[in-house]
Amino acid sequence: MDKKYILKQLDHQLIASCQPVDNGPMDTPEAITRMALACREGGAAAVRIQGVINVAEVAKVLDIPVVGIVKRDLPDSEVRITPFLEDVYALAEAGAKVIAYDATQRKRPVATSELVAAIHRSGCIAMADCATLEDGILAAEMGVELIGTTMSGYTGGPVPKEPDYQLIRDLAERGYQVVAEGRFNQPELASKAISEGAYCVTVGSAITRVEHICQWFCDAIDEASLIVEK
Ligand SMILES: CC(=O)N[C@H](C=O)[C@@H](O)[C@H](O)[C@H](O)COP(=O)(O)O
């Protein structure tokens, strides 16, 4: 599969992020593989998978591209998504076609330019998980093919409820292939992302984090109960 073909496959499509709640009941390679297969059945054009073992398991059985990441908790950096060159090489070896990395300009162990070069050397497409327009511009200047809004709202302060449509618009205006990602918890929010210029949309929690979805319903019911009981 060449890069152009893979990028074309993502054009105005859904990427399903299959990242269960850490250490929860669904956090096994088998459950993640089944989620990925189910998402494919539902029409997802690609899946986003965390962890080298999970990527290898999913890539073995799935005929759509895998966006691979490795998440790490580092002692001296807030950067979590694919911080090391070894992560890039291991993801490529495991079968990821796209490799996403944290593209924020925070203190980090390896420069983003080195990560991008390693992703491209491995024959993969790079995806920059950005928080700001500046992150996106920097990544695009490095030749990164997919510019994601993934980190918007997650680099300090309270996490907003809504997705960041302004960032989608700002990035799309520059002609970038924008992956709208982060808090697209309803189909209408995802379709608005496309209307605002996104190339494709990644949805995670609302599709594959059962605990979160369940909690949303429980909270809504609790709220209604308080009103009814008044
Ligand atoms: C900020 C960060 O670390 N985001 C992570 C990136 O892989 C995941 O935890 C998110 O689930 C993913 O981006 C999809 O977003 P949402 O689950 O909101 O649909």
Side-chain angles (χ1 to χ4, degrees):
M1 268 196 266
D2 77 310
K3 286 191 192 183
K4 262 201 189 142
Y5 178 78
I6 293 168
L7 287 169
K8 194 77 209 131
Q9 274 181 297
L10 304 180
D11 191 354
H12 288 166
Q13 297 293 317
L14 172 75
I15 301 174
S17 173
C18 303
Q19 297 183 59
V21 171
D22 281 344
N23 305 314
M26 303 295 272
D27 192 6
T28 69
E30 202 201 356
I32 292 165
T33 305
R34 286 177 180 275
M35 275 185 212
L37 287 166
C39 289
R40 196 238 184 276
E41 291 291 310
V47 290
R48 178 167 164 125
I49 304 289
Q50 191 287 131
V52 172
I53 292 170
N54 297 330
V55 167
E57 289 297 308
V58 170
K60 244 194 301 191
V61 298
L62 213 64
D63 60 350
I64 54 174
V66 173
V67 180
I69 60 170
V70 168
K71 271 187 182 166
R72 294 185 180 278
D73 285 317
L74 302 177
D76 48 3
S77 167
E78 284 172 27
V79 166
R80 293 189 71 211
I81 300 176
T82 323
F84 295 118
L85 298 178
E86 302 85 84
D87 297 330
V88 168
Y89 298 131
L91 287 167
E93 180 72 29
K97 297 291 179 210
V98 179
I99 296 179
Y101 68 97
D102 181 308
T104 62
Q105 290 153 72
R106 297 179 289 183
K107 181 172 171 264
R108 56 172 57 249
V110 176
T112 50
S113 55
E114 285 187 51
L115 293 168
V116 173
I119 293 170
H120 287 155
R121 249 196 325 274
S122 308
C124 294
I125 291 164
M127 172 172 165
D129 286 335
C130 303
T132 64
L133 174 61
E134 291 68 37
D135 297 343
I137 293 173
L138 205 72
E141 281 171 355
M142 288 177 198
V144 171
E145 294 90 340
L146 294 169
I147 309 293
T149 62
T150 321
M151 296 308 299
S152 171
Y154 297 105
T155 55
V159 176
K161 256 193 121 50
E162 289 290 306
D164 190 346
Y165 290 106
Q166 189 58 51
L167 184 55
I168 296 174
R169 282 192 289 272
D170 290 345
L171 293 166
E173 241 171 47
R174 286 175 159 73
Y176 305 156
Q177 289 178 329
V178 180
V179 183
E181 176 163 345
R183 308 183 294 284
F184 294 91
N185 292 336
Q186 287 163 0
E188 306 77 58
L189 300 180
S191 73
K192 183 169 155 63
I194 296 294
S195 312
E196 299 287 1
Y199 186 66
C200 56
V201 187
T202 301
V203 177
S205 307
I207 297 178
T208 56
R209 284 191 180 135
V210 179
E211 296 89 328
H212 291 185
I213 302 162
C214 202
Q215 184 81 58
W216 296 339
F217 281 94
C218 291
D219 289 350
I221 290 169
D222 281 351
E223 242 173 70
S225 312
L226 288 177
I227 296 165
V228 170
E229 282 159 17
K230 257 189 203 162

